[in-house]
Amino acid sequence: LHLPIGDWYYYDLEYWGLDYPPITAYISYLCGLGSHHLVGPETVALETSRGIEDRKHKAYMRATVLVLDLIIYGYALWISLDRHRHGYRGEYGEQQHQKHHPRHHAQQQQKENQERWQTRLTSTSMWLLLLALVQPAIVLIDHGHFQYNTVALGWSLMAFHFMTKGNFRQCVVGAFFFCLALNFKQMTLYYAPVVFAYLLGRCFADTTRFTVRFASLGITVITTFLVMWLPFLINGPSHVQTSVPERAVQILTRIFPFQRGLFESKVANLWCALSTKPFSIRERIAAEMQPLLALGLTTVLMLPSCVALFRMGAAKTTSDLQRQRKDATSLLWGATSCSLAFFLASFQVHEKSILMALAPASLLMDLDASFVQFLSVACAWSLWPLLQVDRLEVAYVCTVLIYICVVWMYHQQQDGAASEMQRSFFSSFFRSIPILAYIGMLGLHAMQLCVEAPQGLPDLYPVLWSIAGCGLFLVAWLCTLWHLFTKQAAAKQKVS
């Protein structure tokens, strides 16, 4: 607030230096400006405001998170679920009419079925909105750990919403929103491969207009990034002379801190799990090779979802509402899958990065409730070591219990039709996986409560959380691939 814009990525980097993309800096500036006028200038005074514990300032900071959460993330959820509701309109009514009603009653019965189905869908949409808003992991990180992740998540969901519309101009709008998300949180790069694959497929869907479509997307991306980055490129730091390339490198170095190592803290991913004895992979592989290894494994894990989304985009030849909805759900499955691939295998992963997989999955509750419940609880559970550091144990218990209660009420109001339309990975042979997972999660909590970690193994429980969480997220990743490829196989069979 008190520095020229050229100093923002250079000033006092040892004390919470700016390490997020430009839009985060702009929004932080606006929030600081509001605190200066609404709470008091002492709350944002240069250096002397560090560590301030004023109650009014805390309330203001949390209010900024809540307002942005509702305006951006809440709106993104609303338009996504509203489209979901309209995409399903009449679908179930027609199915029931074809099954049970004679031809001469068809028109009247179809109308009645559609009205009943639409009423149920409206109710279901409201429940799905509530379930997405009370996700314990998102609430704990953004409102407890104090972050603004829902801004990036909201813009990403808006991007998915527009990209999967029939008119390609809407894809350009979606690309713009995705650029906003990328310029707010670098973690949204977790979605970038499947977004690129899907949009590339949309370009190939009409080969006669491929060049125009690809160029329009490219111009949108370049223009948006240029506008966001230009103030930092033309204004250098006040204490030293720098060139434009040097300023760009400084921003990129702050945003992508490769020097921090393979992973951060005890995150529930493959590298942290494999760094325990006897594997000790972090010690066995040279530091300069670790980013390349992470890149290779991440590519392997994300490639199936990218292939599936490219095929989906390239096959889009109609603007039919139900087809758009299928594309939208496939993109949500693909974004969840790709995010899990990055979380499990990429370089320098933070615990909160799991929110990238959770947000799109939250909108799939009506398609596979077992999976979404499993992933939601697993995400919150995996954050436990981080939440202990922030003394959020009570908030953790409360938010998880609230979510479970809302899930129970959601299932109570659903009729048999909803369950008939769901196809879950956790059925037949795999039905016991979520139950065993929940027992294991509760068991580790009980063990930590009753048995103290040995003096020689002070990190025993965070390591157990990391290994078990990694296993849970691997199962979730497999589930997303099952959904992506079984849906495509079913679609091909239907066409045949």
Side-chain angles (χ1 to χ4, degrees):
L1 191 62
H2 305 285
L3 295 170
I5 194 170
D7 286 342
W8 287 10
Y9 280 99
Y10 290 85
Y11 179 75
D12 202 358
L13 301 180
E14 296 299 320
Y15 182 85
W16 298 107
L18 180 60
D19 55 1
Y20 288 110
I23 296 183
T24 296
Y26 300 141
I27 289 183
S28 297
Y29 176 85
L30 293 175
C31 291
L33 196 64
S35 182
H36 178 87
H37 292 289
L38 297 175
V39 185
E42 70 280 358
T43 61
V44 288
L46 189 64
E47 296 188 355
T48 58
S49 64
R50 293 177 179 179
I52 189 170
E53 294 288 339
D54 180 71
R55 280 191 172 186
K56 290 183 179 179
H57 184 56
K58 280 186 178 181
Y60 169 79
M61 291 175 68
R62 299 204 182 282
T64 60
V65 178
L66 184 61
V67 169
L68 289 170
D69 190 356
L70 293 175
I71 291 175
I72 298 178
Y73 188 60
Y75 177 71
L77 293 173
W78 175 263
I79 62 173
S80 298
L81 292 171
D82 185 63
R83 179 182 177 186
H84 152 88
R85 179 169 61 88
H86 289 292
Y88 257 145
R89 178 177 291 171
E91 184 176 326
Y92 179 71
E94 290 180 13
Q95 292 173 358
Q96 295 302 300
H97 152 66
Q98 292 169 4
K99 289 180 181 178
H100 302 293
H101 303 292
R103 190 168 295 177
H104 64 277
H105 293 304
Q107 188 173 4
Q108 180 181 355
Q109 190 62 51
Q110 180 179 341
K111 183 179 179 180
E112 292 176 0
N113 284 341
Q114 285 180 336
E115 289 176 354
R116 287 197 297 269
W117 186 233
Q118 188 61 28
T119 301
R120 197 193 71 81
L121 282 174
T122 301
S123 173
T124 300
S125 296
M126 294 300 100
W127 279 104
L128 295 177
L129 177 64
L130 179 60
L131 283 165
L133 289 173
V134 299
Q135 278 288 354
I138 293 176
V139 172
L140 288 166
I141 292 297
D142 271 35
H143 299 277
H145 192 60
F146 189 71
Q147 298 278 327
Y148 292 93
N149 295 294
T150 50
V151 175
L153 295 175
W155 279 334
S156 298
L157 294 180
M158 287 184 199
F160 301 159
H161 170 76
F162 287 105
M163 286 174 185
T164 51
K165 284 184 174 289
N167 191 328
F168 191 81
R169 293 178 183 176
Q170 301 292 332
C171 288
V172 177
V173 176
F176 168 73
F177 277 113
F178 191 62
C179 288
L180 295 183
L182 289 172
N183 278 283
F184 188 83
K185 289 277 187 179
Q186 59 267 47
M187 289 189 301
T188 49
L189 279 169
Y190 286 16
Y191 302 140
V194 288
V195 167
F196 176 78
Y198 177 76
L199 291 178
L200 186 63
R202 289 292 301 268
C203 292
F204 275 106
D206 185 355
T207 53
T208 60
R209 305 193 64 190
F210 173 85
T211 304
V212 174
R213 290 185 169 189
F214 193 82
S216 62
L217 291 173
I219 291 170
T220 301
V221 172
I222 293 171
T223 303
T224 306
F225 269 80
L226 188 62
V227 170
M228 294 297 121
W229 284 58
L230 196 59
F232 297 100
L233 297 178
I234 62 177
N235 295 287
S238 57
H239 61 283
V240 63
Q241 289 290 332
T242 56
S243 62
V244 171
E246 288 174 333
R247 295 165 197 165
V249 169
Q250 172 67 9
I251 298 172
L252 291 171
T253 303
R254 295 298 302 161
I255 294 174
F256 302 106
F258 287 102
Q259 70 277 7
R260 292 184 185 177
L262 190 55
F263 57 86
E264 195 164 320
S265 189
K266 296 294 187 292
V267 64
N269 76 345
L270 288 167
W271 303 125
C272 187
L274 292 175
S275 293
T276 57
K277 293 181 179 180
F279 305 105
S280 303
I281 194 169
R282 199 175 190 178
E283 299 175 4
R284 295 173 185 267
I285 299 175
E288 60 272 14
M289 291 299 298
Q290 291 174 8
L292 296 176
L293 181 62
L295 175 63
L297 185 55
T298 304
T299 302
V300 171
L301 294 183
M302 74 180 184
L303 198 57
S305 58
C306 293
V307 171
L309 265 297
F310 175 79
R311 289 177 177 175
M312 181 65 70
K316 192 171 183 67
T317 57
T318 175
S319 59
D320 178 70
L321 197 60
Q322 292 181 16
R323 178 58 189 273
Q324 291 179 39
R325 181 186 174 278
K326 290 177 182 177
D327 274 25
T329 55
S330 294
L331 186 54
L332 291 174
W333 281 117
T336 304
S337 180
C338 194
S339 300
L340 285 169
F342 270 87
F343 182 83
L344 285 166
S346 65
F347 192 85
Q348 233 308 294
V349 175
H350 192 280
E351 296 96 326
K352 67 183 179 184
S353 302
I354 196 59
L355 301 186
M356 297 296 113
L358 181 60
S362 299
L363 296 175
L364 299 167
M365 185 75 175
D366 65 314
L367 297 178
D368 191 345
S370 297
F371 167 77
V372 177
Q373 293 160 199
F374 166 79
L375 182 62
S376 301
V377 174
C379 287
W381 182 84
S382 72
L383 295 171
W384 174 251
L386 176 65
L387 300 175
Q388 283 184 297
V389 175
D390 291 334
R391 295 171 295 179
L392 292 172
E393 297 92 338
V394 175
Y396 164 81
V397 173
C398 291
T399 53
V400 172
L401 288 177
I402 289 171
Y403 179 76
I404 292 172
C405 290
V406 176
V407 167
W408 180 82
M409 290 187 289
Y410 164 74
H411 286 299
Q412 291 301 305
Q413 68 89 39
Q414 294 294 296
D415 56 28
S419 59
E420 287 177 7
M421 297 189 69
Q422 289 197 6
R423 298 177 66 246
S424 176
F425 177 77
F426 298 123
S427 58
S428 62
F429 180 75
F430 299 103
R431 190 185 302 275
S432 60
I433 291 179
I435 299 173
L436 294 174
Y438 299 144
I439 293 172
M441 292 181 212
L442 288 172
L444 273 176
H445 274 308
M447 183 177 172
Q448 186 182 33
L449 189 64
C450 300
V451 182
E452 188 175 350
Q455 291 185 354
L457 298 171
D459 291 335
L460 173 64
Y461 289 111
V463 170
L464 289 177
W465 246 262
S466 170
I467 295 172
C470 178
L472 296 176
F473 294 137
L474 275 171
V475 171
W477 174 73
L478 289 172
C479 180
T480 60
L481 294 185
W482 180 84
H483 271 284
L484 279 171
F485 286 97
T486 55
K487 285 182 184 299
Q488 287 200 353
K492 287 182 179 179
Q493 186 177 4
K494 187 174 181 180
V495 171
S496 299

